[in-house]
Amino acid sequence: MRKSVHAPLASAGDGPYSQAIVSNGFVFVSGQGPLEAGTGNIIGTTIEEQADLTLRNIQHIVEAAGSSMDDVVQVTVYLEHMSDFNAFNEVYKRFFRAPMPARTCVEAGLDNILVEIDAIASVSQPTNERSQSNE
């Protein structure tokens, strides 16, 4: 069984995809960027500002799925400029505790944003009523 996750406090994006899918005890979070919930506007001009909002979007989504940032097991980070790596890490460390999730970080040609992140987390709690079944 798969369940779609909708977190109203995170940007819904504009494509034909779910914010996240819960399946087999894991939540798979779609790529998130520095988009404001409700408007979809890009927020922030620095890597620090954009990384903070992107990670907050992920946090809202994993929490809506019945998980937490402590349950994130894998993260993929796409940076527009690899020169932002150290500044990004300073923000990233505020959202995760040891043991840190496994992570891949690559430089990517992003469209008008400095960072995009997807994640996988384990789900130990049942999903809440914001999730929708897609059997």
Side-chain angles (χ1 to χ4, degrees):
M1 184 167 82
R2 300 181 325 151
K3 291 186 182 276
S4 171
V5 177
H6 174 68
L9 296 176
S11 173
D14 61 356
Y17 57 87
S18 298
Q19 284 177 322
I21 292 289
V22 175
S23 181
N24 295 321
F26 289 92
V27 57
F28 299 85
V29 181
S30 292
Q32 298 297 307
L35 304 178
E36 182 178 49
T39 69
N41 291 334
I42 297 170
I43 302 297
T45 57
T46 67
I47 188 62
E48 293 89 353
E49 293 167 330
Q50 289 195 9
D52 183 76
L53 180 55
T54 300
L55 287 161
R56 286 184 193 283
N57 283 338
I58 289 172
Q59 182 174 18
H60 292 309
I61 293 167
V62 297
E63 288 174 355
S67 190
S68 74
M69 295 300 268
D70 288 340
D71 296 315
V72 174
V73 295
Q74 198 279 330
V75 174
T76 304
V77 178
Y78 306 91
L79 294 175
E80 176 68 15
H81 308 289
M82 196 54 85
S83 59
D84 287 335
F85 184 77
N86 290 332
F88 170 80
N89 276 336
E90 290 305 310
V91 176
Y92 182 86
K93 290 188 290 189
R94 296 195 307 251
F95 285 85
F96 297 103
R97 298 185 302 185
M100 301 297 270
R103 186 178 92 177
T104 301
C105 186
V106 297
E107 187 171 57
L110 301 174
D111 189 22
N112 298 319
I113 58 175
L114 300 175
V115 62
E116 183 173 334
I117 303 170
D118 62 50
I120 301 171
S122 61
V123 179
S124 57
Q125 304 170 26
T127 57
N128 63 28
E129 54 277 353
R130 290 187 198 133
S131 299
Q132 303 165 354
S133 178
N134 289 330
E135 300 180 281

